[in-house]
Amino acid sequence: MKRFMNLYGFLLFTLSLTLLGLLLLMNSVNYGSVTANKYLREKMGGSMNSEEFLIIKEGYLYSYITLGGVMFFVGLLFSCLCLYIIFNKYNKSHQ
């Protein structure tokens, strides 16, 4: 019984990881812009060449897309694996 509780806890963790990754993917443009603007204000004193700013903004955008994609993929992969194990155990116990 304890193993099933650990499995359900892991399933809950992977589903939340999937949801967090999806939210990061959906809001990556906003987060990248906010982070680039924060960098411009705090590190550069509020002034920078526009081409350099766009490169920095693009870098932050890609970092959020990558992080969200990895979190979404890993969470979805382990969620599917966990559900497969749970349904497999359920079917074996009811035969």
Side-chain angles (χ1 to χ4, degrees):
M1 187 65 166
K2 185 177 179 181
R3 183 171 180 206
F4 280 121
M5 294 304 286
N6 288 340
L7 198 58
Y8 285 122
F10 186 69
L11 178 64
L12 184 63
F13 170 72
T14 57
L15 288 175
S16 61
L17 186 67
T18 304
L19 182 64
L20 187 62
L22 183 63
L23 287 174
L24 267 174
L25 279 173
M26 291 173 52
N27 295 319
S28 61
V29 174
N30 186 31
Y31 293 153
S33 297
V34 167
T35 308
N37 286 330
K38 184 178 177 182
Y39 175 80
L40 177 65
R41 279 192 316 270
E42 291 179 2
K43 302 289 186 200
M44 302 306 267
S47 119
M48 177 187 274
N49 185 358
S50 62
E51 290 178 15
E52 292 174 2
F53 177 72
L54 288 177
I55 291 171
I56 290 172
K57 184 177 177 181
E58 190 175 275
Y60 281 121
L61 173 68
Y62 287 147
S63 68
Y64 281 112
I65 288 174
T66 303
L67 179 63
V70 167
M71 289 174 67
F72 181 73
F73 176 73
V74 168
L76 196 61
L77 178 71
F78 283 111
S79 295
C80 291
L81 181 66
C82 207
L83 285 172
Y84 173 76
I85 291 170
I86 289 172
F87 285 130
N88 220 8
K89 298 267 184 200
Y90 178 77
N91 285 337
K92 284 183 182 179
S93 66
H94 282 78
Q95 286 182 351

PDB file of all heavy atoms in Angstrom, residues 25-48:
ATOM      1  N   LEU A  25       5.995  27.623 -21.032  1.00  0.00           N
ATOM      2  CA  LEU A  25       5.970  27.711 -22.495  1.00  0.00           C
ATOM      3  C   LEU A  25       4.983  28.769 -22.973  1.00  0.00           C
ATOM      4  O   LEU A  25       5.277  29.534 -23.895  1.00  0.00           O
ATOM      5  CB  LEU A  25       5.597  26.358 -23.101  1.00  0.00           C
ATOM      6  CG  LEU A  25       6.702  25.332 -23.213  1.00  0.00           C
ATOM      7  CD1 LEU A  25       6.138  23.997 -23.674  1.00  0.00           C
ATOM      8  CD2 LEU A  25       7.763  25.807 -24.173  1.00  0.00           C
ATOM      9  N   MET A  26       3.822  28.803 -22.357  1.00  0.00           N
ATOM     10  CA  MET A  26       2.795  29.744 -22.797  1.00  0.00           C
ATOM     11  C   MET A  26       3.146  31.192 -22.461  1.00  0.00           C
ATOM     12  O   MET A  26       2.766  32.105 -23.186  1.00  0.00           O
ATOM     13  CB  MET A  26       1.443  29.366 -22.175  1.00  0.00           C
ATOM     14  CG  MET A  26       0.894  28.079 -22.742  1.00  0.00           C
ATOM     15  SD  MET A  26      -0.591  27.492 -21.917  1.00  0.00           S
ATOM     16  CE  MET A  26      -1.645  28.892 -21.939  1.00  0.00           C
ATOM     17  N   ASN A  27       3.870  31.416 -21.373  1.00  0.00           N
ATOM     18  CA  ASN A  27       4.198  32.766 -20.939  1.00  0.00           C
ATOM     19  C   ASN A  27       5.660  33.130 -21.157  1.00  0.00           C
ATOM     20  O   ASN A  27       6.142  34.102 -20.582  1.00  0.00           O
ATOM     21  CB  ASN A  27       3.857  32.931 -19.451  1.00  0.00           C
ATOM     22  CG  ASN A  27       2.380  32.807 -19.204  1.00  0.00           C
ATOM     23  OD1 ASN A  27       1.581  33.316 -19.959  1.00  0.00           O
ATOM     24  ND2 ASN A  27       2.024  32.105 -18.145  1.00  0.00           N
ATOM     25  N   SER A  28       6.368  32.374 -21.979  1.00  0.00           N
ATOM     26  CA  SER A  28       7.800  32.601 -22.152  1.00  0.00           C
ATOM     27  C   SER A  28       8.104  33.959 -22.772  1.00  0.00           C
ATOM     28  O   SER A  28       9.109  34.589 -22.423  1.00  0.00           O
ATOM     29  CB  SER A  28       8.409  31.488 -23.003  1.00  0.00           C
ATOM     30  OG  SER A  28       7.820  31.450 -24.283  1.00  0.00           O
ATOM     31  N   VAL A  29       7.248  34.441 -23.662  1.00  0.00           N
ATOM     32  CA  VAL A  29       7.485  35.748 -24.278  1.00  0.00           C
ATOM     33  C   VAL A  29       7.389  36.853 -23.231  1.00  0.00           C
ATOM     34  O   VAL A  29       8.249  37.742 -23.161  1.00  0.00           O
ATOM     35  CB  VAL A  29       6.491  35.995 -25.435  1.00  0.00           C
ATOM     36  CG1 VAL A  29       6.628  37.395 -25.982  1.00  0.00           C
ATOM     37  CG2 VAL A  29       6.687  34.970 -26.535  1.00  0.00           C
ATOM     38  N   ASN A  30       6.375  36.780 -22.400  1.00  0.00           N
ATOM     39  CA  ASN A  30       6.201  37.784 -21.349  1.00  0.00           C
ATOM     40  C   ASN A  30       7.349  37.728 -20.350  1.00  0.00           C
ATOM     41  O   ASN A  30       7.912  38.761 -19.982  1.00  0.00           O
ATOM     42  CB  ASN A  30       4.863  37.569 -20.646  1.00  0.00           C
ATOM     43  CG  ASN A  30       4.554  38.659 -19.660  1.00  0.00           C
ATOM     44  OD1 ASN A  30       4.953  39.808 -19.829  1.00  0.00           O
ATOM     45  ND2 ASN A  30       3.849  38.306 -18.608  1.00  0.00           N
ATOM     46  N   TYR A  31       7.699  36.518 -19.888  1.00  0.00           N
ATOM     47  CA  TYR A  31       8.782  36.378 -18.920  1.00  0.00           C
ATOM     48  C   TYR A  31      10.116  36.830 -19.501  1.00  0.00           C
ATOM     49  O   TYR A  31      10.920  37.461 -18.814  1.00  0.00           O
ATOM     50  CB  TYR A  31       8.903  34.939 -18.431  1.00  0.00           C
ATOM     51  CG  TYR A  31       7.737  34.451 -17.606  1.00  0.00           C
ATOM     52  CD1 TYR A  31       7.412  33.109 -17.548  1.00  0.00           C
ATOM     53  CD2 TYR A  31       6.947  35.329 -16.884  1.00  0.00           C
ATOM     54  CE1 TYR A  31       6.354  32.650 -16.796  1.00  0.00           C
ATOM     55  CE2 TYR A  31       5.887  34.880 -16.123  1.00  0.00           C
ATOM     56  CZ  TYR A  31       5.597  33.540 -16.089  1.00  0.00           C
ATOM     57  OH  TYR A  31       4.548  33.090 -15.341  1.00  0.00           O
ATOM     58  N   GLY A  32      10.361  36.501 -20.776  1.00  0.00           N
ATOM     59  CA  GLY A  32      11.602  36.931 -21.418  1.00  0.00           C
ATOM     60  C   GLY A  32      11.694  38.436 -21.536  1.00  0.00           C
ATOM     61  O   GLY A  32      12.759  39.028 -21.295  1.00  0.00           O
ATOM     62  N   SER A  33      10.589  39.088 -21.888  1.00  0.00           N
ATOM     63  CA  SER A  33      10.579  40.555 -21.991  1.00  0.00           C
ATOM     64  C   SER A  33      10.790  41.211 -20.641  1.00  0.00           C
ATOM     65  O   SER A  33      11.560  42.179 -20.522  1.00  0.00           O
ATOM     66  CB  SER A  33       9.248  41.022 -22.585  1.00  0.00           C
ATOM     67  OG  SER A  33       9.082  40.530 -23.882  1.00  0.00           O
ATOM     68  N   VAL A  34      10.115  40.705 -19.629  1.00  0.00           N
ATOM     69  CA  VAL A  34      10.249  41.273 -18.285  1.00  0.00           C
ATOM     70  C   VAL A  34      11.679  41.114 -17.776  1.00  0.00           C
ATOM     71  O   VAL A  34      12.255  42.044 -17.208  1.00  0.00           O
ATOM     72  CB  VAL A  34       9.228  40.620 -17.324  1.00  0.00           C
ATOM     73  CG1 VAL A  34       9.544  40.954 -15.879  1.00  0.00           C
ATOM     74  CG2 VAL A  34       7.820  41.062 -17.671  1.00  0.00           C
ATOM     75  N   THR A  35      12.261  39.942 -17.989  1.00  0.00           N
ATOM     76  CA  THR A  35      13.628  39.699 -17.520  1.00  0.00           C
ATOM     77  C   THR A  35      14.630  40.573 -18.272  1.00  0.00           C
ATOM     78  O   THR A  35      15.570  41.104 -17.673  1.00  0.00           O
ATOM     79  CB  THR A  35      13.987  38.211 -17.680  1.00  0.00           C
ATOM     80  OG1 THR A  35      12.973  37.418 -17.079  1.00  0.00           O
ATOM     81  CG2 THR A  35      15.310  37.898 -17.028  1.00  0.00           C
ATOM     82  N   ALA A  36      14.440  40.739 -19.582  1.00  0.00           N
ATOM     83  CA  ALA A  36      15.342  41.594 -20.359  1.00  0.00           C
ATOM     84  C   ALA A  36      15.216  43.055 -19.926  1.00  0.00           C
ATOM     85  O   ALA A  36      16.221  43.768 -19.828  1.00  0.00           O
ATOM     86  CB  ALA A  36      15.050  41.449 -21.848  1.00  0.00           C
ATOM     87  N   ASN A  37      14.004  43.508 -19.672  1.00  0.00           N
ATOM     88  CA  ASN A  37      13.813  44.885 -19.200  1.00  0.00           C
ATOM     89  C   ASN A  37      14.438  45.088 -17.824  1.00  0.00           C
ATOM     90  O   ASN A  37      15.021  46.149 -17.548  1.00  0.00           O
ATOM     91  CB  ASN A  37      12.332  45.238 -19.161  1.00  0.00           C
ATOM     92  CG  ASN A  37      11.763  45.463 -20.537  1.00  0.00           C
ATOM     93  OD1 ASN A  37      12.473  45.891 -21.449  1.00  0.00           O
ATOM     94  ND2 ASN A  37      10.492  45.155 -20.710  1.00  0.00           N
ATOM     95  N   LYS A  38      14.326  44.087 -16.965  1.00  0.00           N
ATOM     96  CA  LYS A  38      14.945  44.166 -15.645  1.00  0.00           C
ATOM     97  C   LYS A  38      16.469  44.235 -15.778  1.00  0.00           C
ATOM     98  O   LYS A  38      17.124  45.011 -15.081  1.00  0.00           O
ATOM     99  CB  LYS A  38      14.538  42.955 -14.803  1.00  0.00           C
ATOM    100  CG  LYS A  38      15.049  42.988 -13.395  1.00  0.00           C
ATOM    101  CD  LYS A  38      14.550  41.776 -12.627  1.00  0.00           C
ATOM    102  CE  LYS A  38      15.132  41.767 -11.235  1.00  0.00           C
ATOM    103  NZ  LYS A  38      14.725  40.592 -10.476  1.00  0.00           N
ATOM    104  N   TYR A  39      17.022  43.450 -16.686  1.00  0.00           N
ATOM    105  CA  TYR A  39      18.466  43.481 -16.929  1.00  0.00           C
ATOM    106  C   TYR A  39      18.895  44.864 -17.433  1.00  0.00           C
ATOM    107  O   TYR A  39      19.918  45.401 -16.999  1.00  0.00           O
ATOM    108  CB  TYR A  39      18.847  42.406 -17.948  1.00  0.00           C
ATOM    109  CG  TYR A  39      20.295  42.429 -18.355  1.00  0.00           C
ATOM    110  CD1 TYR A  39      21.267  41.852 -17.548  1.00  0.00           C
ATOM    111  CD2 TYR A  39      20.698  43.031 -19.536  1.00  0.00           C
ATOM    112  CE1 TYR A  39      22.598  41.874 -17.903  1.00  0.00           C
ATOM    113  CE2 TYR A  39      22.022  43.065 -19.908  1.00  0.00           C
ATOM    114  CZ  TYR A  39      22.978  42.482 -19.094  1.00  0.00           C
ATOM    115  OH  TYR A  39      24.288  42.510 -19.450  1.00  0.00           O
ATOM    116  N   LEU A  40      18.104  45.415 -18.334  1.00  0.00           N
ATOM    117  CA  LEU A  40      18.417  46.738 -18.887  1.00  0.00           C
ATOM    118  C   LEU A  40      18.418  47.805 -17.788  1.00  0.00           C
ATOM    119  O   LEU A  40      19.317  48.643 -17.722  1.00  0.00           O
ATOM    120  CB  LEU A  40      17.410  47.107 -19.983  1.00  0.00           C
ATOM    121  CG  LEU A  40      17.537  48.473 -20.620  1.00  0.00           C
ATOM    122  CD1 LEU A  40      18.840  48.584 -21.385  1.00  0.00           C
ATOM    123  CD2 LEU A  40      16.359  48.742 -21.531  1.00  0.00           C
ATOM    124  N   ARG A  41      17.409  47.770 -16.918  1.00  0.00           N
ATOM    125  CA  ARG A  41      17.322  48.762 -15.850  1.00  0.00           C
ATOM    126  C   ARG A  41      18.421  48.609 -14.813  1.00  0.00           C
ATOM    127  O   ARG A  41      19.045  49.584 -14.407  1.00  0.00           O
ATOM    128  CB  ARG A  41      15.961  48.661 -15.150  1.00  0.00           C
ATOM    129  CG  ARG A  41      14.834  49.344 -15.853  1.00  0.00           C
ATOM    130  CD  ARG A  41      13.597  49.438 -14.963  1.00  0.00           C
ATOM    131  NE  ARG A  41      13.299  48.209 -14.236  1.00  0.00           N
ATOM    132  CZ  ARG A  41      12.531  47.235 -14.682  1.00  0.00           C
ATOM    133  NH1 ARG A  41      11.995  47.308 -15.875  1.00  0.00           N
ATOM    134  NH2 ARG A  41      12.297  46.167 -13.940  1.00  0.00           N
ATOM    135  N   GLU A  42      18.665  47.372 -14.364  1.00  0.00           N
ATOM    136  CA  GLU A  42      19.568  47.171 -13.236  1.00  0.00           C
ATOM    137  C   GLU A  42      21.038  47.095 -13.638  1.00  0.00           C
ATOM    138  O   GLU A  42      21.889  47.638 -12.940  1.00  0.00           O
ATOM    139  CB  GLU A  42      19.183  45.893 -12.487  1.00  0.00           C
ATOM    140  CG  GLU A  42      17.858  46.031 -11.772  1.00  0.00           C
ATOM    141  CD  GLU A  42      17.451  44.765 -11.051  1.00  0.00           C
ATOM    142  OE1 GLU A  42      18.220  43.772 -11.080  1.00  0.00           O
ATOM    143  OE2 GLU A  42      16.361  44.763 -10.466  1.00  0.00           O
ATOM    144  N   LYS A  43      21.347  46.433 -14.716  1.00  0.00           N
ATOM    145  CA  LYS A  43      22.751  46.211 -15.060  1.00  0.00           C
ATOM    146  C   LYS A  43      23.318  47.279 -16.002  1.00  0.00           C
ATOM    147  O   LYS A  43      24.489  47.592 -15.945  1.00  0.00           O
ATOM    148  CB  LYS A  43      22.928  44.839 -15.733  1.00  0.00           C
ATOM    149  CG  LYS A  43      22.460  43.683 -14.902  1.00  0.00           C
ATOM    150  CD  LYS A  43      23.371  43.434 -13.742  1.00  0.00           C
ATOM    151  CE  LYS A  43      22.907  42.171 -13.048  1.00  0.00           C
ATOM    152  NZ  LYS A  43      23.372  42.040 -11.716  1.00  0.00           N
ATOM    153  N   MET A  44      22.483  47.813 -16.869  1.00  0.00           N
ATOM    154  CA  MET A  44      22.991  48.746 -17.877  1.00  0.00           C
ATOM    155  C   MET A  44      22.602  50.194 -17.594  1.00  0.00           C
ATOM    156  O   MET A  44      22.877  51.072 -18.397  1.00  0.00           O
ATOM    157  CB  MET A  44      22.485  48.340 -19.263  1.00  0.00           C
ATOM    158  CG  MET A  44      22.876  46.925 -19.650  1.00  0.00           C
ATOM    159  SD  MET A  44      24.620  46.634 -19.512  1.00  0.00           S
ATOM    160  CE  MET A  44      25.158  47.007 -21.131  1.00  0.00           C
ATOM    161  N   GLY A  45      21.924  50.442 -16.520  1.00  0.00           N
ATOM    162  CA  GLY A  45      21.559  51.807 -16.167  1.00  0.00           C
ATOM    163  C   GLY A  45      20.429  52.381 -16.992  1.00  0.00           C
ATOM    164  O   GLY A  45      20.212  53.586 -17.006  1.00  0.00           O
ATOM    165  N   GLY A  46      19.694  51.565 -17.712  1.00  0.00           N
ATOM    166  CA  GLY A  46      18.527  52.025 -18.465  1.00  0.00           C
ATOM    167  C   GLY A  46      18.814  52.398 -19.902  1.00  0.00           C
ATOM    168  O   GLY A  46      17.908  52.783 -20.635  1.00  0.00           O
ATOM    169  N   SER A  47      20.063  52.283 -20.350  1.00  0.00           N
ATOM    170  CA  SER A  47      20.349  52.643 -21.734  1.00  0.00           C
ATOM    171  C   SER A  47      21.238  51.596 -22.375  1.00  0.00           C
ATOM    172  O   SER A  47      22.188  51.099 -21.759  1.00  0.00           O
ATOM    173  CB  SER A  47      20.991  54.027 -21.753  1.00  0.00           C
ATOM    174  OG  SER A  47      22.249  54.037 -22.276  1.00  0.00           O
ATOM    175  N   MET A  48      20.865  51.244 -23.620  1.00  0.00           N
ATOM    176  CA  MET A  48      21.603  50.211 -24.346  1.00  0.00           C
ATOM    177  C   MET A  48      21.255  50.326 -25.825  1.00  0.00           C
ATOM    178  O   MET A  48      20.186  50.824 -26.184  1.00  0.00           O
ATOM    179  CB  MET A  48      21.194  48.828 -23.818  1.00  0.00           C
ATOM    180  CG  MET A  48      21.838  47.661 -24.530  1.00  0.00           C
ATOM    181  SD  MET A  48      21.163  46.088 -23.993  1.00  0.00           S
ATOM    182  CE  MET A  48      22.164  45.790 -22.583  1.00  0.00           C
TER     183      MET A  48
END
